[in-house]
Amino acid sequence: MAKGRSFGFGGWVFLLMALGAATALALVVAQGGRLMATPKLGLVFVVLPAGVLVFALICLRLPTAMRLSAAITCLSIGCSLWAFEVWLLAQKGRQGVDELVVRAKAAQVAYDARSKSEVVSDLRKAGQDAFPAVFPSLFLIPQGAKGVVRSPLNLDGGEILPLGGVPESRAVVCNEAGQWLVQDTDRNGFPNPSDVAALTSVDIALLGDSFTQGMCVPTSTSFADRIRQVHPATLNLGNGGNGPLLALATLIEYARPLAPRRVLWFFFEGNDLADLNVESRSPLLRGYLVGSTAQNLTARAGHLAPLLRDYAEKSVAASQTAYAAGSALPLSQQIFRFVSLTETRIGLGLTATSIASPDFALFGQVLTVARDQVSGWGGRLTIVYLPAWESTIQNPQAGLSEYQRVATIIKDLGIDFVDLRAEIARHPDPIGLFPLRQAGHYAEAGHSWVADNVLTHLRERP
């Protein structure tokens, strides 16, 4: 008993700290080197926990009084960090609303300060079939220690990864400039008019992420809608969070059966390569690199729709804070994210995704498959490069090396290229292309600018 008391409170604190650090290192090793691929990754995920382990072991050998004092100091720091994490979680989904309201008022724009779940609830009270927007990337859930991601949905005894939102419903998407974007989805969950969705062949198919989907401008003002005004048989297959592999899967599932004359793939420099790092860990998505692999989602749409509605319904039923975080993670994963200070690390740019090196070889492989697929049915693939706020407003050198690599890959593959990063440098008021002149998706002016450049390119290179 005396020996236990000499170990004391401080001893237990540092023993738990040492066990936690050792567990973290074991998880890193189990990832098979993925978290040690670059010096920065190694620093964050190997050197830091190793340092904590050594520090804890040293503290275990300190005299009882010094050990207790050090333990109290470490606990104070730890409690402060996790309190900050709680604050970040509470703010997520409402972050920046006060500033947006001020900016909207200055611009004489009415601002709807309701949360997404409140908008869904109000639409339902009005008798509308409303759901929060569902994005394919939400279903890429880590499974096990190897970093593999899989969809939690199963159909016919196997994994199924939806590529659209809840079909034939009203999707509440986002609000960046004052009013909530609510989109009507087609039978496959994409934002298309019913007459376009019913076509058995289309002239143009659009691929991409949230920018292509139309975030966050009113319906009919997105660049997809503006292109459709000139080319009526234009099918929008964009969805928030889509990176290159999700876009390729969408191409094979939904564009290939319609054999469009032109496929416009909108590449966003802000996160598409980071998204690819996550998508590459999905065995199902990597299967699309074979080209012939498919989930046959169109044929299975009737069975997939109830699964999507059930998932979205659970999002609606979740608490506002949990829903605002947009998490499709099980409770165990949410606890792990909290304990590992995920939101704090995201803010510091210290997540595996944010500091991992882009996989340019895989990106080139994805584009090669896409090019061959489109040319195989006699179509033409065009990549449209969308610049981000960071390189447009904050620092023209931001992401420059990645931009140059991407442009080189596209050109070396002989793919048609619309370089809007080069074009935006000539714009007289680039900050006016963003919502309320601050970071975000493009404003109406930005969508109009994209559409004008793309339509000019289509006229010049039909």
Side-chain angles (χ1 to χ4, degrees):
M1 182 66 69
K3 186 175 182 180
R5 286 196 298 271
S6 67
F7 189 69
F9 174 76
W12 286 110
V13 169
F14 288 114
L15 178 60
L16 291 174
M17 186 183 296
L19 290 173
T23 301
L25 286 171
L27 290 173
V28 170
V29 173
Q31 292 281 337
R34 185 177 66 86
L35 297 179
M36 298 179 280
T38 68
K40 195 172 182 181
L41 279 171
L43 176 64
V44 173
F45 293 100
V46 178
V47 176
L48 183 59
V52 171
L53 175 60
V54 172
F55 174 75
L57 293 175
I58 291 174
C59 288
L60 283 172
R61 301 183 64 84
L62 292 175
T64 302
M66 291 182 63
R67 191 166 60 221
L68 178 61
S69 177
I72 292 173
T73 300
C74 290
L75 281 175
S76 299
I77 295 172
C79 289
S80 298
L81 285 172
W82 275 292
F84 184 62
E85 181 78 2
V86 170
W87 182 83
L88 288 176
L89 286 169
Q91 294 298 312
K92 192 171 184 179
R94 304 289 295 177
Q95 199 170 29
V97 169
D98 292 341
E99 181 181 355
L100 287 174
V101 171
V102 171
R103 286 178 174 268
K105 185 176 181 179
Q108 297 183 328
V109 174
Y111 193 90
D112 185 347
R114 290 178 299 171
S115 69
K116 184 180 290 188
S117 56
E118 289 170 336
V119 176
V120 171
S121 177
D122 289 344
L123 289 172
R124 289 184 168 191
K125 289 176 183 177
Q128 300 183 39
D129 189 26
F131 289 91
V134 173
F135 310 117
S137 56
L138 290 176
F139 296 99
L140 297 178
I141 309 301
Q143 303 287 330
K146 293 291 186 181
V148 172
V149 296
R150 299 185 188 277
S151 168
L153 301 185
N154 286 274
L155 186 61
D156 300 327
E159 176 189 6
I160 188 166
L161 176 62
L163 298 176
V166 177
E168 298 178 327
S169 68
R170 306 215 72 198
V172 180
V173 187
C174 57
N175 178 7
E176 289 183 344
Q179 299 302 307
W180 279 94
L181 169 63
V182 181
Q183 294 179 322
D184 293 314
T185 62
D186 63 21
R187 61 189 178 187
N188 292 312
F190 296 101
N192 293 293
S194 57
D195 58 334
V196 173
L199 295 173
T200 55
S201 65
V202 296
D203 186 35
I204 298 174
L206 310 182
L207 300 172
D209 63 2
S210 50
F211 287 82
T212 309
Q213 183 178 354
M215 293 188 188
C216 292
V217 296
T219 300
S220 80
T221 65
S222 71
F223 62 72
D225 291 308
R226 293 172 187 272
I227 292 170
R228 187 183 290 119
Q229 290 166 12
V230 179
H231 301 274
T234 294
L235 185 70
N236 187 355
L237 298 174
N239 215 328
N242 279 9
L245 263 175
L246 277 169
L248 176 64
T250 306
L251 169 76
I252 292 173
E253 292 286 350
Y254 294 109
R256 185 170 64 181
L258 301 174
R261 176 184 62 84
R262 197 70 166 258
V263 174
L264 300 177
W265 183 321
F266 293 86
F267 175 91
F268 176 56
E269 69 174 6
N271 53 28
D272 274 13
L273 291 175
D275 291 338
L276 179 60
N277 284 336
V278 176
E279 296 167 357
S280 67
R281 291 151 48 200
S282 166
L284 188 153
L285 284 178
R286 292 191 76 99
Y288 284 97
L289 293 171
V290 179
S292 59
T293 301
Q295 300 182 82
N296 299 315
L297 294 179
T298 302
R300 304 166 80 187
H303 299 286
L304 178 60
L307 295 179
L308 280 166
R309 284 181 170 268
D310 180 66
Y311 168 80
E313 198 62 57
K314 289 177 181 177
S315 294
V316 173
S319 67
Q320 182 174 337
T321 300
Y323 170 69
S327 177
L329 296 176
L331 180 61
S332 60
Q333 290 288 340
Q334 293 183 48
I335 293 173
F336 175 79
R337 286 171 63 86
F338 174 73
V339 172
S340 62
L341 298 170
T342 298
E343 295 302 325
T344 302
R345 290 188 292 108
I346 288 174
L348 296 173
L350 296 177
T351 64
T353 300
S354 63
I355 63 179
S357 298
D359 192 338
F360 291 109
L362 179 58
F363 177 66
Q365 187 180 358
V366 169
L367 291 191
T368 299
V369 175
R371 179 201 62 189
D372 293 346
Q373 285 284 315
V374 177
S375 62
W377 69 65
R380 184 176 188 181
L381 174 64
T382 298
I383 305 294
V384 183
Y385 191 101
L386 300 177
W389 166 273
E390 288 75 14
S391 65
T392 302
I393 305 301
Q394 293 182 333
N395 177 15
Q397 301 300 310
L400 182 60
S401 62
E402 288 84 357
Y403 157 65
Q404 292 170 337
R405 287 286 300 276
V406 167
T408 298
I409 290 170
I410 294 170
K411 292 174 182 177
D412 287 349
L413 290 173
I415 298 174
D416 189 35
F417 186 38
V418 180
D419 186 356
L420 294 186
R421 173 158 174 161
E423 187 64 30
I424 204 169
R426 296 187 281 272
H427 196 280
D429 182 32
I431 196 172
L433 302 178
F434 295 88
L436 301 176
R437 305 179 75 81
Q438 70 170 13
H441 295 87
Y442 297 151
E444 289 184 46
H447 279 266
S448 177
W449 170 76
V450 172
D452 288 345
N453 278 277
V454 170
L455 290 170
T456 297
H457 184 83
L458 294 177
R459 287 194 298 270
E460 294 175 351
R461 304 190 65 178

